C-alpha cells in the first residue's frame, strides 16, 4: 500500500512525537526519486542551486524562473515528500512581488510551500502569503541572501543581543502564520530552546541535534563540491558503495540523532 503524502500536518505530528524530520535540498527529478526511496521526507529546492549547480559564489543571481524550473523537475520525480521551493533574492521585497513569485513557484513549479529568509522585515509578507493560501517556511540565523550585509558565512546568534533577536523573530514568524522554520548556523543551545518554544517544526542546518529535523545541501553531503565542506556537514558517501547507500545512511543518522555529532556542532 502506498504511504500517504507528507504534508505540513504530518510534520507537526512528527514534532509532537519527537520523530526527527529528514530534509535535503533537491534540484531534479532523478534525485527526487532517489531521495524519496531513501526515506527523505522534505525536498527543498534551495536557491543554493545558484552555488552548487550554477557555480556562482552566492545565491543572489538565482531567479524565480530558475527556481520554478528546478521545482517542476523535482515535482515530476516526487510522489510523497513535501516539496518546498525557495523564494529568491528580492522576489519578496514587497507583498505583491512575493505573491507573484509564490504563484509562479506553486503553479508552474509544483511547490507545496515556499521558504523566505528574514524576521521582522518579512512579517507583513508572510501574513499576506498565508492569507492567500500559500504555506510559508521561515529561515533565520545565517541568511545567505544577506551575505553582503553579514560580511561572510558565519554563525549567528552567538551574543546575547543577536540570540534575542533570533528568538523574537522565530516567535513572530510563527504568529504571522509560518508553518515551518529553518534555523541555519546558530549555536545548538539556542536552536534547542527555539525548537522547544515553537509549536511549528524547526529544521536545523548547522544548529545542533536538538531541532525537530535536519537539512543539508545535497551536493555537500555527497562530497560533490570542490574545496572544504562546511564544518556542519558530512560526506555521507565516504565508506558507502553508492549514492542510494549514502542517502540511506543520512536518513538513518538523522532519525537516530547520530547526526549532527559533536564535531559538526557549534555550542
Ligand atoms: O538554499 C538552500 O539550500 C537552503 C538550505 C541551506 C536550508 O536554504
Amino acid at each position: 500500500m502506498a504511504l500517504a503524502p507528507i504534508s505540513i500536518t504530518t510534520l507537526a505530528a512528527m514534532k509532537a512525537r519527537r520523530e526527527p524530520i529528514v530534509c535535503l535540498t533537491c534540484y531534479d527529478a532523478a534525485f527526487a526519486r532517489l531521495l524519496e526511496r531513501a526515506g527523505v521526507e522534505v525536498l527543498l529546492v534551495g536557491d543554493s542551486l545558484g552555488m552548487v549547480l550554477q557555480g556562482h559564489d552566492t545565491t543572489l543571481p538565482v531567479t524565480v524562473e530558475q527556481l520554478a524550473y528546478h521545482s517542476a523537475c523535482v515535482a515530476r520525480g516526487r510522489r510523497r515528500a513535501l516539496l518546498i521551493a525557495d523564494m529568491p533574492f528580492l522576489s519578496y521585497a514587497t507583498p505583491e512581488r512575493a505573491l507573484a513569485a509564490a504563484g509562479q513557484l506553486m503553479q508552474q513549479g509544483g511547490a507545496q510551500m515556499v521558504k523566505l529568509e528574514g524576521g521582522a522585515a518579512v512579517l507583513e509578507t508572510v501574513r499576506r502569503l498565508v492569507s492567500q493560501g500559500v504555506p510559508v517556511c521561515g529561515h533565520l540565523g545565517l541568511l545567505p541572501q544577506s551575505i553582503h550585509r553579514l560580511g561572510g558565512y558565519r554563525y549567528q546568534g552567538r551574543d546575547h543581543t543577536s540570540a534575542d533577536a533570533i528568538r523574537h523573530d522565530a516567535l513572530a514568524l510563527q504568529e504571522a502564520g509560518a508553518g515551518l522554520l529553518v534555523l541555519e548556523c546558530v549555536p545548538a543551545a539556542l536552536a534547542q530552546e527555539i525548537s522547544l518554544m515553537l509549536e511549528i517544526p524547526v529544521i536545523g542546518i548547522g544548529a545542533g541535534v536538538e531541532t525537530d529535523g535536519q537539512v543539508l545541501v545535497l551536493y555537500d553531503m555527497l562530497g560533490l563540491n570542490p574545496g572544504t565542506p562546511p564544518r556542519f556537514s558530512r560526506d555521507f558517501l565516504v565508506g558507502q558503495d553508492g549514492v542510494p547507500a549514502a542517502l540511506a545512511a543520512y536518513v538513518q543518522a538523522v532519525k537516530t540523532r547520530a547526526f549532527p555529532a559533536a564535531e559538526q556542532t557549534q555550542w
Side-chain angles (χ1 to χ4, degrees):
M1 197 175 68
L3 292 165
I6 291 166
S7 68
I8 192 64
T9 315
T10 320
L11 302 186
M14 290 171 74
K15 174 175 175 120
R17 62 174 185 269
R18 285 201 38 80
E19 178 184 346
I21 297 162
V22 187
C23 176
L24 277 176
T25 68
C26 185
Y27 316 106
D28 64 41
F31 268 112
R33 283 185 213 103
L34 286 175
L35 266 56
E36 268 207 352
R37 218 167 285 160
V40 176
E41 288 136 346
V42 181
L43 307 178
L44 169 64
V45 187
D47 59 359
S48 52
L49 71 84
M51 299 172 79
V52 299
L53 294 188
Q54 297 174 337
H56 296 294
D57 288 339
T58 71
T59 59
L60 272 55
V62 178
T63 64
V64 177
E65 286 69 27
Q66 290 165 353
L67 269 162
Y69 168 81
H70 285 282
S71 185
C73 294
V74 173
R76 285 190 285 271
R78 74 160 275 284
R79 293 283 173 275
R80 177 168 188 255
L82 183 75
L83 172 46
I84 305 178
D86 256 343
M87 301 269 274
F89 181 57
L90 291 185
S91 68
Y92 49 99
T94 65
E96 284 65 37
R97 286 182 73 170
L99 279 173
Q104 217 171 323
L105 294 173
M106 293 180 78
Q107 293 181 305
Q108 293 165 26
Q112 297 163 307
M113 181 175 232
V114 299
K115 176 166 83 59
L116 45 78
E117 298 182 9
V122 300
L123 293 178
E124 190 194 339
T125 298
V126 171
R127 278 188 217 102
R128 189 72 178 281
L129 288 169
V130 173
S131 75
Q132 296 303 309
V134 178
V136 174
C137 174
H139 183 150
L140 294 173
L142 173 58
L143 308 179
Q145 291 175 10
S146 300
I147 194 63
H148 297 310
R149 180 175 59 77
L150 296 173
Y153 294 98
R154 292 195 198 93
Y155 271 80
Q156 305 294 310
R158 297 181 74 181
D159 61 75
H160 193 70
T161 313
S162 74
D164 242 14
I166 294 173
R167 270 187 212 100
H168 185 270
D169 283 345
L171 259 184
L173 281 167
Q174 173 174 276
E175 278 163 21
L180 198 63
L181 176 68
V182 167
L183 268 186
E184 178 165 359
C185 290
V186 300
L190 177 62
Q192 177 175 21
E193 189 192 327
I194 292 173
S195 305
L196 290 170
M197 175 179 77
L198 295 190
E199 282 164 28
I200 61 173
V202 176
I203 309 290
I205 172 165
V209 76
E210 292 300 336
T211 51
D212 303 308
Q214 300 291 331
V215 60
L216 283 179
V217 171
L218 178 65
Y219 283 39
D220 287 341
M221 58 78 70
L222 291 177
L224 295 176
N225 282 327
T228 319
R231 196 189 136 218
F232 56 75
S233 194
R234 182 193 290 169
D235 182 348
F236 281 88
L237 201 48
V238 171
Q240 302 294 339
D241 66 1
V243 169
L247 296 172
Y250 171 69
V251 172
Q252 162 86 355
V254 172
K255 286 289 181 196
T256 58
R257 295 195 192 270
F259 179 84
E263 62 266 32
Q264 288 99 29
T265 302
Q266 172 74 50
W267 304 101

